Amino acid sequence: EPEVTQTPSHQVTQMGQEVILRCVPISNHLYFYWYRQILGQKVEFLVSFYNNEISEKSEIFDDQFSVERPDGSNFTLKIRSTKLEDSAMYFCASKSSAGQETQYFGPGTRLLVL
Amino acid sequence: GNSVTQMEGPVTLSEEAFLTINCTYTATGYPSLFWYVQYPGEGLQLLLKATKADDKGSNKGFEATYRKETTSFHLEKGSVQVSDSAVYFCALNLNTGNQFYFGTGTSLTVIP
């Protein structure tokens, strides 16, 4: 069964460094998402992406964040200058079409900023 | 606004016990409701969903009924197994939008 994959599974970085989290959505999916979960808190929506542009973003998704689909398979989340409070589990998700409600999630990348 | 509140964990049950994980929501429109499950080391997997009031979602022995009058979508299973040990997330999706609104997740451990 096709699945969403994410790399790396864990990343440790120093405050102020740039990180890129990678996702490979399910191959025929067109809508892509990033969510994050700070330890002990809710899973929060960050951004949605369709047709090579951001379709929706939350207040969390400020200028430090960017997303890109650099080729036909990868979907990346870049944090330009990490802060301690960016430490969280980051989930990528995808879905096939606008009418499809169900999003398919990857296993997550646990980011720790020191 | 839109939000989901679910029962705090962790929950520990003996095998074959009855499970209830409470979930309530607030929504500005008419949401679809979901339960996702995350097994150790894996992604969030859709467990079940319901798209309108009084619908019952079911899968793998789990059930949840969309109750508009109590704005709830409680997850139940009559007899849990060790393999049900996971984190369970309640979520809503407004059909007009993209994003999911999740609860904090409830960790379930089933002991033999």
Side-chain angles (χ1 to χ4, degrees):
Chain A
E1 187 176 330
E3 58 184 22
V4 176
T5 59
Q6 290 185 242
T7 54
S9 58
H10 294 78
Q11 177 141 8
V12 180
T13 190
Q14 295 291 321
M15 190 170 58
Q17 295 296 303
E18 175 184 286
V19 295
I20 297 176
L21 308 183
R22 291 186 164 79
C23 170
V24 178
I26 294 173
S27 64
N28 62 344
H29 284 190
L30 301 176
Y31 295 78
F32 313 112
Y33 306 85
W34 283 102
Y35 294 80
R36 77 172 187 191
Q37 185 181 28
I38 295 171
L39 191 63
Q41 298 184 24
K42 296 186 178 186
V43 177
E44 303 170 291
F45 169 78
L46 293 178
V47 66
S48 60
F49 191 87
Y50 169 71
N51 200 26
N52 279 321
E53 60 184 29
I54 291 172
S55 48
E56 195 174 350
K57 61 182 181 179
S58 71
E59 295 173 351
I60 303 166
F61 195 87
D62 62 21
D63 292 344
Q64 293 299 311
F65 291 89
S66 62
V67 289
E68 192 178 27
R69 188 151 162 83
D71 53 42
S73 59
N74 289 284
F75 179 51
T76 62
L77 174 69
K78 182 192 291 186
I79 308 175
R80 223 176 311 278
S81 176
T82 50
K83 303 188 282 287
L84 297 177
E85 53 265 38
D86 293 327
S87 296
M89 177 73 89
Y90 288 82
F91 293 104
C92 172
S94 68
K95 71 176 186 180
S96 57
S97 63
Q100 167 66 263
E101 292 171 318
T102 302
Q103 294 177 17
Y104 295 84
F105 286 78
T109 293
R110 183 166 294 287
L111 176 66
L112 178 61
V113 182
L114 301 176
Chain B
N2 302 301
S3 68
V4 172
T5 302
Q6 66 180 99
M7 179 174 151
E8 295 276 336
V11 173
T12 302
L13 294 173
S14 297
E15 207 165 20
E16 299 183 3
F18 183 84
L19 168 72
T20 300
I21 301 178
N22 290 336
C23 171
T24 57
Y25 69 90
T26 58
T28 54
Y30 299 97
S32 294
L33 302 173
F34 300 76
W35 277 99
Y36 276 83
V37 58
Q38 186 179 30
Y39 299 103
E42 300 183 18
L44 298 171
Q45 301 173 21
L46 178 66
L47 180 59
L48 53 86
K49 69 177 185 180
T51 58
K52 62 184 188 298
D54 299 325
D55 270 3
K56 179 187 280 188
S58 60
N59 185 25
K60 299 182 181 179
F62 291 89
E63 292 183 341
T65 301
Y66 188 142
R67 301 279 187 210
K68 190 177 175 186
E69 63 276 13
T70 54
T71 61
S72 65
F73 193 56
H74 305 321
L75 183 68
E76 296 182 337
K77 186 174 185 182
S79 176
V80 293
Q81 305 301 311
V82 172
S83 56
D84 294 326
S85 298
V87 181
Y88 292 81
F89 293 88
C90 185
L92 72 82
N93 181 273
L94 288 170
N95 299 327
T96 56
N98 270 309
Q99 62 175 288
F100 272 72
Y101 297 85
F102 282 92
T104 51
T106 301
S107 174
L108 170 67
T109 301
V110 180
I111 54 177

